[in-house]
Amino acid sequence: MRKPIIAGNWKMNKTHQEAVAFMEEVRGNVPSKNEVETVVCAPALFLKDMHDKAESSDVAVGAQTMHFEEGGAFTGEISPAALQDMGIAYSIIGHSERREMFNETDESVNKKVHAAFRHEITPIMCCGETLEERESSQTEQVVRTQIEKGFAGLSAEQAKQVVVAYEPIWAIGTGKSSSAEDANETCQTIRQVIAELYDEQTAEAVRIQYGGSVKPENINSYLAQEHIDGALVGGASLKTDAFLQLAEAG
Ligand code: PEP
């Protein structure tokens, strides 16, 4: 059985005060981490205080990106070593906004996934197609390439720990969510690609989230699908009540 994982992606939202207040409100109210993993991926500036505020509760804090190098002349970047030192155990890697606006490629995503494992950080590795790619029937090929390149060089044990977030780009922040059946079909393809790269057992262990305009009203339809093991949620993760409902659905 794969444990569901619900992760919020706050993007560049909230002030420090709001972020800490959010943790204060949710920390005692999320479901047990034995049943569902709940993560808030927040701006790097807030991570330490949010992590401290979470104390030993069942909600974890994650980064939204990180560099693959240990440190050095990378102005403005976030080192995986610094995240580990602060006790941050998750990072989104290769979100489509990072790929589109900050030149991330499948190669840099792969380096970041390796760096995450060097620092005991669980990578939430994003993949997904554009509207144009979907309309020209390229979805399968696009996600296949992203998975093959993103997983390159990982051992089967590492592969099992990657959380894949399948996020059709046309569904992110648009209010246009993919149908649960279509999302499941692509998540099944992702699992199939992992089985081809490794074996069935490894593919069955990997958790695959759906992301793209998920909210409390539609999350159950996704989680009911065989190949969907959670959600990566942007807009709806910003409000405590919605976030708690999403976590509860997991
Ligand atoms: C995201 O940011 O990864 C996302 C899926 O956003 P939204 O839920 O707002 O579509």
Side-chain angles (χ1 to χ4, degrees):
M1 270 301 281
R2 297 182 290 266
K3 194 197 292 183
I5 172 163
I6 308 293
N9 174 18
W10 281 1
K11 314 191 186 199
M12 198 173 71
N13 289 300
K14 292 198 189 286
T15 62
H16 174 266
Q17 209 178 359
E18 289 165 348
V20 173
F22 182 100
M23 289 310 275
E24 236 159 25
E25 260 188 76
V26 303
R27 66 179 173 195
N29 296 310
V30 290
S32 160
K33 62 183 166 204
N34 297 325
E35 283 153 33
V36 47
E37 264 167 71
T38 311
V39 189
V40 186
C41 298
L45 275 174
F46 314 148
L47 295 179
K48 173 77 171 79
D49 287 350
M50 288 175 69
H51 181 66
D52 288 351
K53 200 46 92 179
E55 294 170 347
S56 55
S57 87
D58 289 323
V59 59
V61 177
Q64 297 174 9
T65 185
M66 51 173 237
H67 204 279
F68 48 80
E69 294 286 354
E70 301 300 302
F74 302 100
T75 303
E77 281 291 340
I78 302 157
S79 90
L83 290 176
Q84 183 180 22
D85 177 58
M86 290 194 298
I88 305 303
Y90 297 84
S91 180
I92 298 173
I93 289 177
H95 190 279
S96 59
E97 288 155 16
R98 301 283 321 166
R99 292 179 190 252
E100 190 188 327
M101 293 183 271
F102 302 96
N103 305 321
E104 293 205 9
T105 61
D106 288 331
E107 287 69 29
S108 63
V109 166
N110 177 248
K111 287 184 186 173
K112 289 179 182 205
V113 170
H114 281 277
F117 283 115
R118 286 198 298 276
H119 292 280
E120 294 173 16
I121 293 168
T122 298
I124 301 176
M125 196 196 95
C126 301
C127 63
E129 81 287 359
T130 62
L131 187 57
E132 206 184 359
E133 289 162 344
R134 180 164 203 93
E135 287 176 344
S136 55
S137 307
Q138 292 179 71
T139 302
E140 185 175 335
Q141 190 50 50
V142 169
V143 297
R144 172 176 287 278
T145 303
Q146 289 171 329
I147 296 297
E148 284 174 357
K149 293 191 169 175
F151 276 66
L154 294 182
S155 68
E157 279 319 300
Q158 289 172 325
K160 284 179 190 170
Q161 293 167 54
V162 176
V163 176
V164 175
Y166 166 58
E167 300 204 306
I169 296 168
W170 48 272
I172 299 178
T174 58
K176 279 190 234 155
S177 47
S178 166
S179 76
E181 292 72 24
D182 284 355
N184 187 54
E185 200 178 301
T186 308
C187 291
Q188 182 171 18
T189 299
I190 291 168
R191 207 175 294 290
Q192 178 58 35
V193 174
I194 298 167
E196 289 167 24
L197 293 173
Y198 298 91
D199 50 52
E200 288 291 336
Q201 197 207 356
T202 304
E204 282 304 312
V206 173
R207 290 173 303 165
I208 306 177
Q209 298 174 309
Y210 167 73
S213 299
V214 173
K215 34 189 192 275
E217 301 77 54
N218 64 14
I219 190 166
N220 286 323
S221 66
Y222 295 107
L223 297 181
Q225 302 295 319
E226 182 184 350
H227 294 285
I228 300 181
D229 310 306
L232 180 58
V233 187
S237 72
L238 290 163
K239 295 211 179 87
T240 47
D241 52 349
F243 181 78
L244 288 171
Q245 286 173 50
L246 292 162
E248 214 43 68

